[in-house]
Amino acid sequence: MLTRWLTALFLCLLPVGAWAHLTPNSEVGLAVGRSHIEATIVIPLGELAFAEPALADLGRRPLDADARRRIERYLHGHIGATGPDGRMWTTRVADSVVTHAAPPDLEATVILTPPAGASARQMRLRFDAVMDKVPTHFALVYLRHDFDGGYLSDQRRLLGGLRRDNAIVAIDMGARSAWSGFAAAIALGAHHIAEGHDHLLFLFILLLAAPLRAEGRRWQGYAGWRNTLRSLVSVVTAFTIGHSLTLIGGAAFDWRLPAQPVEILIALSILVSAVHLWRPLFAGREALVAGGFGLVHGLAFATLIGHIGLDRWQQALSILGFNIGIELVQLLVVASVLPGLVLLAASRFYPPAKNAAAAFAALAAACWIVERASGQDFAPARAIDALLGLAPYAAAPLALLGAAAILIRRFTAASRTS
Amino acid sequence: MPRWRSGTVWPKRLLTGAIALALVTAAGVWLAPRDGASIDRTPSGAGPRSYADALARLDASLIGTRDLGRARPDEWLLDERLAHLLLSRARLTGRFEDYAEAQRVLDHAFLLAPAGAGPHQTQMALAFSLHRLFRTEAMIRAIEAYAVQPEYETRLELALTRGDIAFYRGDYAGALRTYRQAVADDGAGPPLRIANLLARTGQPDAALEMIDRYEAGAKLPTAQLLADLALRRGSIELQRGAWDEAGRQFDRAERLFPGWWLTEALQAQMLAVAGRYPEAVAAFETIVRTDACPECMDALASIHRAQGHRDRAAAWSARAGRIWDRRMAMLPEAALGHAAEHELAFGDVDKALMFARRDAALRPYGQSETTLAWALLAKGDAGAALRVIDRPIAAGWVSAESHLAKEQALLLLGRSVEAEAERSAALAINPRAGDATGSLIWVGH
């Protein structure tokens, strides 16, 4: 009885595990330009209020000029930089906002500029906001992007950590080269579209309609290789023009739409093209539709590349490189799909194959719409994404299938003749 | 030019629609996240049905046992029974006063007991609860030296407690070996102990499966047992960032065994991490009106601090600090870990480091060593922090917080590439490990 009771006591011992990450930390994200460094500083508002009572009112009302002045004064006292030669850099608080996250943060942009003639690629950064009063406070320093160093990833790269007794970090971004930034932008564009299944699926579904000839509300057969090629070129070109326009507008002129409706519209574009593949909705005007929806896809691309590059030249090279990366992958997709498409399109297998593709695309689009509208992970959408990750492996079987279809047709025709 | 002819359209449309519907349904079923316990037993009629009921029963038993003890002051067995009840109530309420009284009662019982006998089993349980591992071992040895060998159940419990001690000394492989050897005879296994170990060594799914199996096989499970199992599941989910699922488990625990302050605190905490601060504050304040729960007060201080309410944060942390001070004076070994965390967040870093060092010396396992690493980081000694945190990680302790502590130590030492790897490891264990809301988690961790 006693033993059973002692065993039962063990039940009351919950599994334990240290959280011990007891106070939220600050972050300093650096974007390295040619003439200056842009530091994006995030300080948990509660920690700031705890350390600096004079700023305790920040989250309670919109920031007015007085609040901004107080923030500026505070930050000036807690951030600074010196070059390798010991000369001080100038510091300017360019912007500050209080986020409405839970818990809220103070987000500020500080421009750090080296003295005339000094490089912006080496410095010793000092940041001790909050930690001068709260000894447990920690600040994470990371790289947002460095165009000339070829670092444009959307993943942050850790550079250092700061604490009260260790509030200075040496930053050395190495030698600079505009070409490494350009090459990185190409790689980023290629990577983004290769991973962005929705963009490629939209294009792919429009390409599947290219070899078809419409009569009324029905697809009635193969349009011939010349028409197929013409249609392919016009769809790809129109899509490129469309997304390039908004990519340039978004990245260079800060055209913005909230991310959620843009993402939903992209899924909707796939749904529309899937229905069109099943029954022609806009036969002969695919290029126009590709261009129109390309505008929407471009806005999504712009969210990724828009913040990269601190001067016009870097921004222009980023956009150009990113776009070239996108085009390279698009051309690769067209080149992979084309042989199979041309071979298969004239066969009797094409109608069921394209209907199956339309059904799959419609299903994928519907799942993405649900996921993007709800803002919650939707398991079928995740499964479709995983499946589409395998899509490159389908190009060769598609070509083989097309070749097989041609052979079967010829064999059948020869049998009939004999 | 070839032409296609389609047949009747409607069957095809219906077929396409049906296939699409089937695909979505199948994907939803196969890929849907784990939704609540796969086992969902109903409590048997045995045992108390609520926290208030459990407390009332314990209080009544305590009154009866105290009366008996007064009538027969020379019987150490009555003292042991009283100590049992006090320990049971302490485990339920978290009150240190009951632990302290249980120890006083047991000390008295040992004075009364003849040589070679005494309340060793209860002392073993109490010492273990109070994080006194050497005393626990001494009790095991004393029981093993009895002239008459104890019954199988007792021998099994002794062996399992040796496994628990190995766990809290950071020997996770040894603990698992001991658990498995201890039950090799009947093969039943100590599922909850193994589940606890698995949860802390990177196998949360296996741990959840063991808890499910335990629940499925439990004979006449009480409401309290089922609630406890739900809390265990919730804690495991919390540690891997599955906050929705953790919340569902805590809600289930509250439905099964309503009114338990621990469940209510965990529910309040889920409101806090969801950013529902006013509701979280109200819920925590309700708890601390009836239960002196310093973790809840620390949580309240953190919520106010996150909102920039400096004075309210200071008031709650000061109130919690007074209770931690009292507990440190009463039963220091049991209070060290939490007191160190309190000092790290709101108090004196030197005190935090002193407490963390003592706690890690007494129980050198992953949690205490992680807290020690944070304290060393707070003192600016990143090198020592790295040496400390490497130990549990190398021994097989798996927690996002350990990797975050290591990441921070590496960053402060300028080893940013290695730090990246630690951050990735932390986020792989718990995708929310880096969230600022982590500072609001004080209970059930």
Side-chain angles (χ1 to χ4, degrees), chain A residues 57-70:
Chain A
D57 63 330
L58 286 186
R60 293 177 202 151
R61 63 184 79 90
L63 290 187
D64 55 15
D66 171 59
R68 282 180 204 284
R69 263 196 304 278
R70 282 184 287 139

PDB file of all heavy atoms in Angstrom, chain A residues 57-70:
ATOM      1  N   ASP A  57       6.228  55.600 -21.198  1.00  0.00           N
ATOM      2  CA  ASP A  57       4.907  55.937 -21.765  1.00  0.00           C
ATOM      3  C   ASP A  57       4.818  55.616 -23.252  1.00  0.00           C
ATOM      4  O   ASP A  57       3.769  55.832 -23.869  1.00  0.00           O
ATOM      5  CB  ASP A  57       4.634  57.433 -21.556  1.00  0.00           C
ATOM      6  CG  ASP A  57       5.657  58.292 -22.298  1.00  0.00           C
ATOM      7  OD1 ASP A  57       6.811  57.818 -22.462  1.00  0.00           O
ATOM      8  OD2 ASP A  57       5.302  59.400 -22.732  1.00  0.00           O
ATOM      9  N   LEU A  58       5.864  55.045 -23.841  1.00  0.00           N
ATOM     10  CA  LEU A  58       5.906  54.956 -25.311  1.00  0.00           C
ATOM     11  C   LEU A  58       4.766  54.150 -25.937  1.00  0.00           C
ATOM     12  O   LEU A  58       4.252  54.521 -26.975  1.00  0.00           O
ATOM     13  CB  LEU A  58       7.241  54.353 -25.763  1.00  0.00           C
ATOM     14  CG  LEU A  58       8.455  55.280 -25.664  1.00  0.00           C
ATOM     15  CD1 LEU A  58       9.675  54.618 -26.275  1.00  0.00           C
ATOM     16  CD2 LEU A  58       8.183  56.609 -26.345  1.00  0.00           C
ATOM     17  N   GLY A  59       4.406  53.056 -25.321  1.00  0.00           N
ATOM     18  CA  GLY A  59       3.403  52.202 -25.952  1.00  0.00           C
ATOM     19  C   GLY A  59       1.973  52.680 -25.729  1.00  0.00           C
ATOM     20  O   GLY A  59       1.035  52.100 -26.268  1.00  0.00           O
ATOM     21  N   ARG A  60       1.793  53.720 -24.960  1.00  0.00           N
ATOM     22  CA  ARG A  60       0.418  54.063 -24.533  1.00  0.00           C
ATOM     23  C   ARG A  60      -0.284  55.025 -25.470  1.00  0.00           C
ATOM     24  O   ARG A  60      -1.487  55.178 -25.399  1.00  0.00           O
ATOM     25  CB  ARG A  60       0.464  54.635 -23.113  1.00  0.00           C
ATOM     26  CG  ARG A  60       0.879  53.539 -22.141  1.00  0.00           C
ATOM     27  CD  ARG A  60       1.021  54.007 -20.739  1.00  0.00           C
ATOM     28  NE  ARG A  60       1.898  53.066 -20.025  1.00  0.00           N
ATOM     29  CZ  ARG A  60       2.666  53.371 -19.024  1.00  0.00           C
ATOM     30  NH1 ARG A  60       2.681  54.612 -18.555  1.00  0.00           N
ATOM     31  NH2 ARG A  60       3.416  52.472 -18.452  1.00  0.00           N
ATOM     32  N   ARG A  61       0.443  55.719 -26.298  1.00  0.00           N
ATOM     33  CA  ARG A  61      -0.175  56.623 -27.263  1.00  0.00           C
ATOM     34  C   ARG A  61       0.708  56.685 -28.502  1.00  0.00           C
ATOM     35  O   ARG A  61       1.886  56.292 -28.445  1.00  0.00           O
ATOM     36  CB  ARG A  61      -0.367  58.009 -26.643  1.00  0.00           C
ATOM     37  CG  ARG A  61       0.920  58.724 -26.251  1.00  0.00           C
ATOM     38  CD  ARG A  61       0.609  60.039 -25.574  1.00  0.00           C
ATOM     39  NE  ARG A  61       0.239  59.822 -24.187  1.00  0.00           N
ATOM     40  CZ  ARG A  61       1.112  59.804 -23.176  1.00  0.00           C
ATOM     41  NH1 ARG A  61       2.382  60.014 -23.408  1.00  0.00           N
ATOM     42  NH2 ARG A  61       0.731  59.609 -21.942  1.00  0.00           N
ATOM     43  N   PRO A  62       0.144  57.164 -29.622  1.00  0.00           N
ATOM     44  CA  PRO A  62       0.967  57.242 -30.835  1.00  0.00           C
ATOM     45  C   PRO A  62       2.203  58.123 -30.600  1.00  0.00           C
ATOM     46  O   PRO A  62       2.149  59.067 -29.800  1.00  0.00           O
ATOM     47  CB  PRO A  62       0.023  57.877 -31.859  1.00  0.00           C
ATOM     48  CG  PRO A  62      -1.347  57.686 -31.313  1.00  0.00           C
ATOM     49  CD  PRO A  62      -1.232  57.632 -29.837  1.00  0.00           C
ATOM     50  N   LEU A  63       3.284  57.792 -31.283  1.00  0.00           N
ATOM     51  CA  LEU A  63       4.528  58.547 -31.080  1.00  0.00           C
ATOM     52  C   LEU A  63       4.379  59.964 -31.630  1.00  0.00           C
ATOM     53  O   LEU A  63       4.079  60.145 -32.809  1.00  0.00           O
ATOM     54  CB  LEU A  63       5.688  57.868 -31.816  1.00  0.00           C
ATOM     55  CG  LEU A  63       6.178  56.527 -31.274  1.00  0.00           C
ATOM     56  CD1 LEU A  63       7.435  56.087 -32.021  1.00  0.00           C
ATOM     57  CD2 LEU A  63       6.458  56.609 -29.788  1.00  0.00           C
ATOM     58  N   ASP A  64       4.558  60.959 -30.785  1.00  0.00           N
ATOM     59  CA  ASP A  64       4.547  62.340 -31.259  1.00  0.00           C
ATOM     60  C   ASP A  64       5.991  62.841 -31.362  1.00  0.00           C
ATOM     61  O   ASP A  64       6.945  62.101 -31.094  1.00  0.00           O
ATOM     62  CB  ASP A  64       3.710  63.231 -30.319  1.00  0.00           C
ATOM     63  CG  ASP A  64       4.194  63.142 -28.883  1.00  0.00           C
ATOM     64  OD1 ASP A  64       5.324  62.644 -28.678  1.00  0.00           O
ATOM     65  OD2 ASP A  64       3.466  63.570 -27.970  1.00  0.00           O
ATOM     66  N   ALA A  65       6.132  64.100 -31.738  1.00  0.00           N
ATOM     67  CA  ALA A  65       7.475  64.648 -31.964  1.00  0.00           C
ATOM     68  C   ALA A  65       8.307  64.578 -30.686  1.00  0.00           C
ATOM     69  O   ALA A  65       9.505  64.261 -30.723  1.00  0.00           O
ATOM     70  CB  ALA A  65       7.362  66.085 -32.453  1.00  0.00           C
ATOM     71  N   ASP A  66       7.660  64.824 -29.554  1.00  0.00           N
ATOM     72  CA  ASP A  66       8.394  64.805 -28.286  1.00  0.00           C
ATOM     73  C   ASP A  66       8.917  63.394 -27.993  1.00  0.00           C
ATOM     74  O   ASP A  66      10.081  63.212 -27.612  1.00  0.00           O
ATOM     75  CB  ASP A  66       7.465  65.289 -27.167  1.00  0.00           C
ATOM     76  CG  ASP A  66       8.102  65.068 -25.806  1.00  0.00           C
ATOM     77  OD1 ASP A  66       9.194  65.614 -25.592  1.00  0.00           O
ATOM     78  OD2 ASP A  66       7.521  64.319 -24.985  1.00  0.00           O
ATOM     79  N   ALA A  67       8.040  62.394 -28.216  1.00  0.00           N
ATOM     80  CA  ALA A  67       8.455  61.006 -27.963  1.00  0.00           C
ATOM     81  C   ALA A  67       9.615  60.632 -28.879  1.00  0.00           C
ATOM     82  O   ALA A  67      10.584  59.999 -28.449  1.00  0.00           O
ATOM     83  CB  ALA A  67       7.276  60.071 -28.182  1.00  0.00           C
ATOM     84  N   ARG A  68       9.515  61.035 -30.126  1.00  0.00           N
ATOM     85  CA  ARG A  68      10.599  60.721 -31.071  1.00  0.00           C
ATOM     86  C   ARG A  68      11.917  61.367 -30.637  1.00  0.00           C
ATOM     87  O   ARG A  68      12.976  60.766 -30.763  1.00  0.00           O
ATOM     88  CB  ARG A  68      10.219  61.206 -32.484  1.00  0.00           C
ATOM     89  CG  ARG A  68       9.247  60.278 -33.162  1.00  0.00           C
ATOM     90  CD  ARG A  68       8.895  60.774 -34.562  1.00  0.00           C
ATOM     91  NE  ARG A  68       7.601  60.244 -34.943  1.00  0.00           N
ATOM     92  CZ  ARG A  68       7.383  58.995 -35.332  1.00  0.00           C
ATOM     93  NH1 ARG A  68       8.389  58.152 -35.399  1.00  0.00           N
ATOM     94  NH2 ARG A  68       6.165  58.591 -35.660  1.00  0.00           N
ATOM     95  N   ARG A  69      11.803  62.593 -30.130  1.00  0.00           N
ATOM     96  CA  ARG A  69      13.025  63.271 -29.664  1.00  0.00           C
ATOM     97  C   ARG A  69      13.644  62.505 -28.488  1.00  0.00           C
ATOM     98  O   ARG A  69      14.860  62.326 -28.409  1.00  0.00           O
ATOM     99  CB  ARG A  69      12.691  64.705 -29.225  1.00  0.00           C
ATOM    100  CG  ARG A  69      12.967  65.752 -30.337  1.00  0.00           C
ATOM    101  CD  ARG A  69      13.006  67.144 -29.758  1.00  0.00           C
ATOM    102  NE  ARG A  69      11.788  67.488 -29.023  1.00  0.00           N
ATOM    103  CZ  ARG A  69      10.664  67.916 -29.598  1.00  0.00           C
ATOM    104  NH1 ARG A  69      10.613  68.062 -30.918  1.00  0.00           N
ATOM    105  NH2 ARG A  69       9.600  68.199 -28.876  1.00  0.00           N
ATOM    106  N   ARG A  70      12.780  62.034 -27.596  1.00  0.00           N
ATOM    107  CA  ARG A  70      13.297  61.303 -26.423  1.00  0.00           C
ATOM    108  C   ARG A  70      13.949  59.986 -26.863  1.00  0.00           C
ATOM    109  O   ARG A  70      14.984  59.579 -26.341  1.00  0.00           O
ATOM    110  CB  ARG A  70      12.157  61.035 -25.432  1.00  0.00           C
ATOM    111  CG  ARG A  70      11.820  62.291 -24.602  1.00  0.00           C
ATOM    112  CD  ARG A  70      10.777  61.994 -23.570  1.00  0.00           C
ATOM    113  NE  ARG A  70       9.458  61.831 -24.163  1.00  0.00           N
ATOM    114  CZ  ARG A  70       8.562  60.910 -23.814  1.00  0.00           C
ATOM    115  NH1 ARG A  70       8.855  60.048 -22.858  1.00  0.00           N
ATOM    116  NH2 ARG A  70       7.395  60.842 -24.394  1.00  0.00           N
TER     117      ARG A  70
END
